[in-house]
Amino acid sequence: VATLKQVAEAAGVSVKTVSRVINHEPEVAANTRQHILEVIEELNYRPNTRARALVSGKAGAVAVVNPAAGEAHLNLFFDSVLRGIAEVLSAHKLDLLLYLSRGDDSPYCELFLQKRVDGLILMNMPFDDPNLLGLTESNAPCVHTCYLAENDNTRYVVDADHAGGIVMSVNHLAALGHRDIAILPGPDNLIAVRLRMEGYRRALAQHGLPVRDELIRHLEFYSGDVRQIVVDLMQLEQQPTAFLCGVDLMAINVMNILRDLGYRVPDDISVLGFNDVVVSQYVSPALTTIRQDGHRKGVTAATMLIDLMSGSLDGAPQQVTLDVELIQRSSTGQRNKV
Amino acid sequence: VATLKQVAEAAGVSVKTVSRVINHEPEVAANTRQHILEVIEELNYRPNTRARALVSGKAGAVAVVNPAAGEAHLNLFFDSVLRGIAEVLSAHKLDLLLYLSRGDDSPYCELFLQKRVDGLILMNMPFDDPNLLGLTESNAPCVHTCYLAENDNTRYVVDADHAGGIVMSVNHLAALGHRDIAILPGPDNLIAVRLRMEGYRRALAQHGLPVRDELIRHLEFYSGDVRQIVVDLMQLEQQPTAFLCGVDLMAINVMNILRDLGYRVPDDISVLGFNDVVVSQYVSPALTTIRQDGHRKGVTAATMLIDLMSGSLDGAPQQVTLDVELIQRSSTGQRNKV
DNA sequence: CTGAAAGCGCTAACAT
DNA sequence: ATGTTAGCGCTTTCAG
């Protein structure tokens, strides 16, 4: 592979002149420039990114850290978020370094210290991750996404409006006459789940409906015993007429269980999901659910990070909450006495 | 941030001695080493990866190129494949550069020429992609995955055994007495689909069953008019008693359509999917399907690339076909006369 | 408009 | 066992 020096020699000029041509600096004679361009073409020269990085002191890359990649429930949007991030970075000529390690052997805060990246986007990062401290100490620019600590205004964060999604769901059901709305929001240790519960309580209050604790069932998204929960709920004296589920797949599962138990969806019971995964439109009845825009989340987070790196964000950390959307399909309907 | 030189000065030794300590070279006196380590700790020194890369001539990174990221049907395993790749690269201290651009503005072959990576893994790369030529010319080590050209033994390739998966499906159905097996393999322009058709023909032949062209329906995985196709097929004089679908979501869709038309699955008709996505176990009836191991695909491709980069693979390009597995659930059963 | 020299932070030869 | 010197390929002063 040719180097700047070789190009300079072949063209009979100094390295600096070649450098000027590559970097589109104006003060070069037109014919000199032309000649140099030809030599570059001929030698198939390409600037060496590593050398540039060394001189500039910038890595020219951003890390996307996601220790939970591979855990299905956290990664339904991983693709689309990544694509959003990639588009923005690409437009800014930044490389995207994907960092999925869980191990403590090479913690992600090293990425910045070792000049491998200029900033980080942290996805699904546990609130109390031990490496987070080192990251803060290193002063690395970083933005969190798919994570939102309650009342944590000390970090830059982008996430979907989990609470708002549930509020929309409850409003939708209330408008259909439902009053006894069960919720299976997911495991209690997730912040997103706690935010949704906040939305649930708030929305019920707005409609003057009581919060009935027996209708709130925390369980793992995928490993929980959904059937037992559904059976329990339907044996209550005052049965629920609608189910809010933490993820679409759980909602699909609930619909099947209800059918097994002899209930019709949505005639007897309404069911709502969260996330709007692809399959939700193909099941029968098609699932009413809350859609998050993963692509937009990625774009927003990456844009924020770039602003942060460029120093144009000197104020206090920002927390951005992205709107979600109710996708109304066929799994919800007018309340009927069961 | 501290540099080698600063550490050397602070410790009262030469840079080379510090360098020796960092690189765990043996010929350093124990007490000198100890002292230097303390200074490193104190100054919070970290080696600058860019400078090392410049000296060594290696980028210390591998690109994963996936221009199709975001297109659902091609990316059901994207997460798990990525995780497999990431694990292997991490163990070899290589960074993972994710490259999702489609644009021709900065083609992926530049990644190698500009020393941003030492090798590439290409996912879902169209057979006739225009940039592929430049890549070949650049002599960059590269491995393809999620792509398999028929009879192309000029590249390094890792992919699932699409043909074998369909053979297993047909064997399973034949054992249940099915003879009229419809197939909706997906769009004809995909190599994976053509390989599946090859498996279909081969398996039918083995069982002495005729290939009936009217039972073969190519259509897009997600945008095709599945309902019309199913209706058409069920109006044939000699109806199919089983459906092989190109992806699980199509199979789920087909099951719903059949139910709408008054058929029972699997009592009247059997349905099989391909891929085993998470939801397939939650639908009712749970879907019988073919499982690919995405993680293993990633591990295999990354390992092959690393071997290739290290020069230990001097022979002819290798094509690795990964085994798939039949996951038998409840959507397939004994043939019954409809 | 163009060039010479210095240096980014590190490693690799060769001393000592 | 430790130090000196010379680069890796590029950009950036500062002179012509």
Side-chain angles (χ1 to χ4, degrees), chain B residues 25-44:
Chain B
E25 289 170 32
E27 57 274 268
V28 180
N31 52 348
T32 317
R33 156 167 285 129
Q34 183 55 36
H35 177 223
I36 292 175
L37 285 174
E38 282 164 13
V39 176
I40 287 177
E41 177 68 38
E42 199 175 323
L43 268 57
N44 198 29

Side-chain angles (χ1 to χ4, degrees), chain B residues 4-26:
Chain B
L4 244 201
K5 200 174 163 191
Q6 292 170 347
V7 173
E9 281 168 7
V13 295
S14 77
V15 285
K16 181 58 201 171
T17 305
V18 182
S19 174
R20 284 195 179 95
V21 172
I22 305 170
N23 295 302
H24 307 101
E25 289 170 32

Side-chain angles (χ1 to χ4, degrees), chain B residues 91-211:
Chain B
H92 288 262
K93 307 249 177 251
L94 290 166
D95 281 337
L96 161 31
L97 208 75
L98 192 62
Y99 197 79
L100 305 180
S101 292
R102 266 175 249 261
D104 291 308
D105 43 331
S106 61
Y108 49 79
C109 58
E110 294 295 309
L111 292 171
F112 181 73
L113 291 171
Q114 296 176 359
K115 301 268 187 227
R116 284 151 75 189
V117 301
D118 300 315
L120 299 92
I121 294 176
L122 304 165
M123 289 177 66
N124 302 311
M125 191 55 62
F127 179 52
D128 51 359
D129 188 275
N131 290 318
L132 228 42
L133 193 66
L135 191 67
T136 309
E137 279 174 0
S138 76
N139 252 321
C142 62
V143 171
H144 287 263
T145 184
C146 301
Y147 151 80
L148 192 59
E150 301 109 317
N151 308 318
D152 181 356
N153 56 1
T154 65
R155 300 180 198 280
Y156 290 86
V157 179
V158 174
D159 206 351
D161 186 359
H162 295 284
I166 296 295
V167 170
M168 291 167 78
S169 299
V170 171
N171 287 348
H172 172 62
L173 290 171
L176 292 167
H178 294 271
R179 302 174 47 83
D180 300 291
I181 302 171
I183 185 165
L184 285 56
D188 200 20
N189 61 334
L190 291 183
I191 290 163
V193 169
R194 295 209 289 269
L195 288 167
R196 290 176 189 181
M197 285 310 300
E198 188 186 308
Y200 177 73
R201 290 173 206 283
R202 196 194 326 148
L204 287 185
Q206 275 174 0
H207 292 281
L209 298 172
V211 174

Side-chain angles (χ1 to χ4, degrees), chain A residues 155-197:
Chain A
R155 301 179 197 280
Y156 289 86
V157 178
V158 174
D159 207 349
D161 186 1
H162 295 285
I166 295 296
V167 170
M168 293 168 77
S169 299
V170 171
N171 287 347
H172 171 63
L173 291 171
L176 291 167
H178 294 270
R179 302 175 46 83
D180 300 291
I181 302 171
I183 185 165
L184 285 55
D188 199 20
N189 61 332
L190 291 183
I191 290 163
V193 170
R194 295 209 289 268
L195 287 167
R196 290 177 191 181
M197 285 311 299

Side-chain angles (χ1 to χ4, degrees), chain A residues 247-265:
Chain A
V247 289
D248 286 354
L249 297 195
M250 193 193 278
I252 292 169
N253 201 0
V254 166
M255 290 200 292
N256 288 327
I257 293 166
L258 287 169
R259 180 158 46 210
D260 281 358
L261 297 176
Y263 299 99
R264 291 164 305 164
V265 177

